[in-house]
Amino acid sequence: MKVKKTFPKILWLIFSSSIFFILLYFALLYYTKKAEKQVYNSTLEQFDNEIHKLLQVNSKPILVAINNDTNWDEFVNFTKTKDTLWYNQTINNELDIYEADYLGAYDANKNFIIRTPTNSIKTVDFIPKKEMELLDTMGINKFYMKIPEGLVEVTGATIHASDDPLKNKTPVAGYFFVVRLMDATFIKNLEELTSSKILLIDNDVTPPHKKHKIISLYTLKDNNNQFIGKLVFERNFQVYFENAINLLYLIIAAFIINLIVNLIYTRKLVYYPLDLVRRALESGNRKAIKELKKTSGEFSYIGNLFEENSNQKLELIKAKIKAEEGDRLKSSFLANLSHEIRTPMNAINGFTELILNTKISETEKMEYLNVIEKSGKNLVGIIDDLIEMSKIDSNQLTPNLTAINLDGLVNELYETVKVTIQNKDIDFKLIKSKSQAKFNIVTDDIKLKQVIINLLTNAIKFTEQGSVSFGFEIDEDQQLIHFTVKDTGLGIDEENHKNIFDRFKRVDSDISIKVGGLGLGLAISKAYIDLLGGSITLESTVGEGSTFYFSIPLQYSVAEHITVKSINNVDVIKSASETILIAEDDNINFLLFQKMMQHKNFKIIRAINGQEAVDICLNTPNIDLVLMDIKMPIMTGFEALEQIRPIRPNLPIIAQTAYSSSDDKIKIEEAGFNGYITKPLNRDTLFELINKYLYKENQNEI
């Protein structure tokens, strides 16, 4: 079958449309530039005329006043009598009329008679004789000159009798000059008059053109008509766009027409066949396949392929469902992994570093090894559980039942958790069971431990002060083991009870930041309890606390009790030299910092949230360095840094974070931290940063 090529037609349509609009664009650009140039030249010419007229208006009051005064008989007599009393009583009073900085009079022999002094111009006799000779023929003249006080505008006129208004019949009786200093005040008044920005320059170079600005130049010349300076008037230039906008409307209209044509053409050759392909892919519609075969070009060939391969549709659907299920399971696995794995890894790496690189007693070594052993087992269990969580979604999870000593398991969990909260104001209690298990019980100990740890962790983190207790009771009648985890903490609003066990959901509050992860703890716990054949319930009141109850089946296995080793309590280090503030809400992480630094001569202060870190930094001036956790309740590390920096700009603040992506590192650096360290903590990196910012590079490790 000969295939008709439709794709080149579509390409040609797109190409022709593009050429059309490109040509329109350049036409618009050319027209706009041309119109802009015309408007600019016209505006510039208008501005230049306006400036020169305004300058004439500015000089006219002086010309009128000086013309009146110099055609005054009493002024003629003054040039002969040189009566300074008359001058001071008459001419000096007209200084404000002239708005001048200097008034000076000369006699017919061009000799200086008197001046009107001001604070601006103190030079006495500076009018050139040649200017007076020029006035003999011109009668009145304005020019510019430089004096010690700066550039001045000089207006001069010959003194004549009142019966000689044209100043060309009688001999010259004298000369009178009005001078204005072109200082900042003069320029400012001129700017207000001309509505322009003015620049006074002393060279004949034309200033460069500025975008959206127009300028007018006014040359200043002396009495010999020589260049002495230049006034540059500058004003904003507004471009006239109406014609360009009208042309744009035409382009938009042309584009719409072209789009309609393209849509009609595309619908016939592309959209309708593609819709048939969609219907065939979604449901295997035979009518759609039949119509697709009747189309032209490649789509007709595709219709033949659908008809020939219709038997493979079910396999494709199954493969699609399987791939989607795999993606969902993988996403769930990665989310759970991020939520659960960091805390035990931090303990393992941190306490291993302490054992390898610090001098510790055998008792401490055994204590650390116990923590590492339990964290390692917990980590393996968590990884198994995360894999099994994915299996739960696909109904592939089965419990790993073993015989355990229930009393020993509970005591072990109590001792382990007690170590992590010794610095917190919580009364942590183990409720003694009224009825003991007769023998070891059969259950999945990894899952049971994880359920209890998850519930205790939530209880402790949501309890700032008060009590946390847990325990169990054996119910021989119903063949159940009832567990209870109770706290006097934040409590949970009743409307959130129905969602508390849903994955990826948690109660939103400042303190909920402490929970960490993605809110999977209670969801995982419920999944494990369901798997073990049990049930879990919740009782909680906001402000009073929460109690979780869960039960699992009681099944005995005759075996010896398992002994459990306890974990020693960890003492807070007390050393005094450089003071380091550790802002860390997690007790295990803070304990690791303490153990890493216990052989260093540091004084350690702890803040359990961002607000407390800010308060300590602002109220304790002897703090030398801060290790700031990024994710904390009440106020994050970023928010705390913003409040500390303006008050303590030189205080070294190092971020400590479980985030390790490149984007997170960039965010930390841009926020203004001096440095950062990621979890799990590395001892060498920690001390390198501390030494660097405490200027103790040569400090030897103990």
Side-chain angles (χ1 to χ4, degrees), residues 308-333:
E308 294 171 2
N309 296 282
S310 60
N311 293 331
Q312 299 179 7
K313 180 179 179 180
L314 291 177
E315 287 78 7
L316 291 174
I317 294 175
K318 291 178 181 180
K320 180 175 178 290
I321 294 174
K322 186 175 181 180
E324 290 176 348
E325 181 69 13
D327 288 341
R328 186 174 65 83
L329 292 176
K330 182 175 67 174
S331 298
S332 178
F333 171 80

Coordinates of all heavy atoms in Angstrom, one line a residue, residues 308-333:
E308 N -3.8 -6.0 13.3 CA -2.9 -7.2 13.3 C -2.4 -7.6 14.7 O -2.2 -8.8 15.0 CB -1.7 -6.9 12.4 CG -2.0 -6.8 11.0 CD -0.8 -6.3 10.1 OE1 0.3 -6.1 10.8 OE2 -1.0 -6.1 8.9
N309 N -2.4 -6.6 15.6 CA -1.8 -6.9 17.0 C -2.9 -6.7 18.1 O -2.5 -6.5 19.2 CB -0.7 -5.9 17.3 CG 0.5 -6.1 16.3 OD1 1.3 -7.0 16.5 ND2 0.6 -5.2 15.3
S310 N -4.1 -6.8 17.7 CA -5.2 -6.7 18.8 C -5.1 -7.8 19.8 O -5.5 -7.6 21.0 CB -6.6 -6.7 18.1 OG -6.8 -7.9 17.4
N311 N -4.6 -8.9 19.5 CA -4.5 -10.0 20.4 C -3.5 -9.7 21.6 O -3.5 -10.4 22.6 CB -4.1 -11.3 19.7 CG -5.2 -11.8 18.8 OD1 -6.4 -11.5 19.0 ND2 -4.8 -12.5 17.7
Q312 N -2.6 -8.7 21.3 CA -1.6 -8.4 22.3 C -2.0 -7.4 23.3 O -1.3 -7.0 24.3 CB -0.3 -7.9 21.7 CG 0.3 -8.9 20.7 CD 1.6 -8.3 20.0 OE1 2.0 -7.2 20.4 NE2 2.1 -9.1 19.1
K313 N -3.3 -6.9 23.2 CA -3.8 -5.8 24.1 C -3.8 -6.2 25.5 O -3.4 -5.4 26.4 CB -5.2 -5.4 23.6 CG -5.8 -4.3 24.5 CD -7.1 -3.9 24.0 CE -7.7 -2.8 24.8 NZ -9.1 -2.4 24.4
L314 N -4.3 -7.4 25.9 CA -4.4 -7.8 27.3 C -3.0 -7.9 27.9 O -2.8 -7.5 29.1 CB -5.1 -9.2 27.4 CG -6.6 -9.2 27.0 CD1 -7.1 -10.6 27.1 CD2 -7.3 -8.2 28.0
E315 N -2.0 -8.4 27.1 CA -0.6 -8.5 27.7 C -0.1 -7.1 27.9 O 0.6 -6.9 29.0 CB 0.3 -9.2 26.7 CG 0.0 -10.7 26.7 CD -1.2 -11.1 25.8 OE1 -1.8 -10.2 25.2 OE2 -1.5 -12.3 25.8
L316 N -0.4 -6.1 27.1 CA 0.1 -4.8 27.3 C -0.5 -4.1 28.5 O 0.1 -3.4 29.3 CB -0.2 -3.9 26.0 CG 0.6 -4.3 24.8 CD1 0.1 -3.4 23.6 CD2 2.1 -4.0 25.0
I317 N -1.8 -4.4 28.7 CA -2.5 -3.8 29.9 C -1.9 -4.4 31.1 O -1.7 -3.7 32.1 CB -4.0 -4.1 29.8 CG1 -4.6 -3.3 28.6 CG2 -4.7 -3.7 31.1 CD1 -6.1 -3.6 28.4
K318 N -1.7 -5.7 31.1 CA -1.1 -6.4 32.3 C 0.3 -5.8 32.6 O 0.6 -5.6 33.8 CB -1.1 -7.9 32.1 CG -2.4 -8.6 32.1 CD -2.3 -10.1 31.9 CE -3.7 -10.7 31.8 NZ -3.6 -12.2 31.6
A319 N 1.1 -5.7 31.5 CA 2.4 -5.1 31.7 C 2.4 -3.7 32.3 O 3.2 -3.3 33.1 CB 3.2 -5.2 30.4
K320 N 1.4 -2.9 31.8 CA 1.2 -1.5 32.3 C 0.9 -1.5 33.8 O 1.4 -0.8 34.6 CB 0.1 -0.8 31.5 CG -0.1 0.6 31.9 CD -1.1 1.2 30.9 CE -1.4 2.7 31.3 NZ -2.2 2.7 32.5
I321 N -0.1 -2.4 34.2 CA -0.5 -2.4 35.6 C 0.7 -2.9 36.5 O 0.9 -2.3 37.5 CB -1.7 -3.4 35.8 CG1 -2.9 -2.8 35.1 CG2 -2.0 -3.7 37.2 CD1 -4.1 -3.8 35.0
K322 N 1.4 -3.9 36.0 CA 2.6 -4.4 36.7 C 3.7 -3.3 36.9 O 4.3 -3.1 38.0 CB 3.2 -5.6 36.1 CG 4.3 -6.3 36.9 CD 4.7 -7.5 36.2 CE 5.8 -8.2 37.0 NZ 6.3 -9.5 36.4
A323 N 3.9 -2.5 35.8 CA 4.9 -1.4 35.9 C 4.5 -0.3 36.9 O 5.3 0.2 37.6 CB 5.1 -0.8 34.5
E324 N 3.2 0.0 36.8 CA 2.7 1.0 37.8 C 2.8 0.6 39.2 O 3.1 1.3 40.1 CB 1.2 1.4 37.4 CG 1.1 2.2 36.1 CD -0.4 2.4 35.8 OE1 -1.3 1.8 36.4 OE2 -0.7 3.2 34.8
E325 N 2.5 -0.7 39.4 CA 2.6 -1.3 40.8 C 4.0 -1.3 41.2 O 4.3 -0.9 42.4 CB 2.0 -2.7 40.8 CG 2.0 -3.4 42.1 CD 1.0 -2.8 43.1 OE1 0.2 -2.0 42.7 OE2 1.1 -3.0 44.3
G326 N 4.9 -1.6 40.3 CA 6.3 -1.5 40.7 C 6.8 -0.1 41.0 O 7.5 0.1 42.0
D327 N 6.4 0.9 40.3 CA 6.7 2.3 40.6 C 6.2 2.7 41.9 O 6.8 3.4 42.7 CB 6.2 3.2 39.5 CG 7.0 3.0 38.2 OD1 8.1 2.5 38.2 OD2 6.4 3.4 37.1
R328 N 4.9 2.3 42.2 CA 4.3 2.7 43.5 C 5.0 2.0 44.6 O 5.3 2.7 45.7 CB 2.8 2.2 43.5 CG 2.1 2.7 44.7 CD 0.6 2.4 44.5 NE 0.4 0.9 44.5 CZ 0.3 0.2 45.7 NH1 0.4 0.8 46.8 NH2 0.1 -1.1 45.6
L329 N 5.4 0.7 44.5 CA 6.1 0.0 45.6 C 7.5 0.6 45.8 O 8.0 0.8 46.9 CB 6.2 -1.5 45.2 CG 4.9 -2.3 45.3 CD1 5.2 -3.7 44.9 CD2 4.3 -2.2 46.7
K330 N 8.1 1.0 44.7 CA 9.5 1.6 44.8 C 9.4 3.0 45.5 O 10.2 3.3 46.3 CB 10.1 1.8 43.4 CG 11.5 2.4 43.4 CD 12.1 2.4 42.0 CE 11.4 3.3 41.1 NZ 12.1 3.5 39.8
S331 N 8.4 3.8 45.1 CA 8.2 5.1 45.8 C 8.0 4.9 47.3 O 8.5 5.7 48.1 CB 7.1 5.9 45.1 OG 7.4 6.1 43.7
S332 N 7.1 4.0 47.6 CA 6.8 3.7 49.0 C 8.0 3.3 49.8 O 8.3 3.7 50.9 CB 5.7 2.7 49.1 OG 5.4 2.4 50.5
F333 N 8.8 2.4 49.1 CA 10.0 1.9 49.8 C 11.0 3.0 50.0 O 11.6 3.2 51.1 CB 10.7 0.8 48.9 CG 12.1 0.4 49.3 CD1 12.2 -0.5 50.4 CD2 13.2 0.9 48.7 CE1 13.5 -0.8 50.8 CE2 14.5 0.6 49.1 CZ 14.6 -0.3 50.2

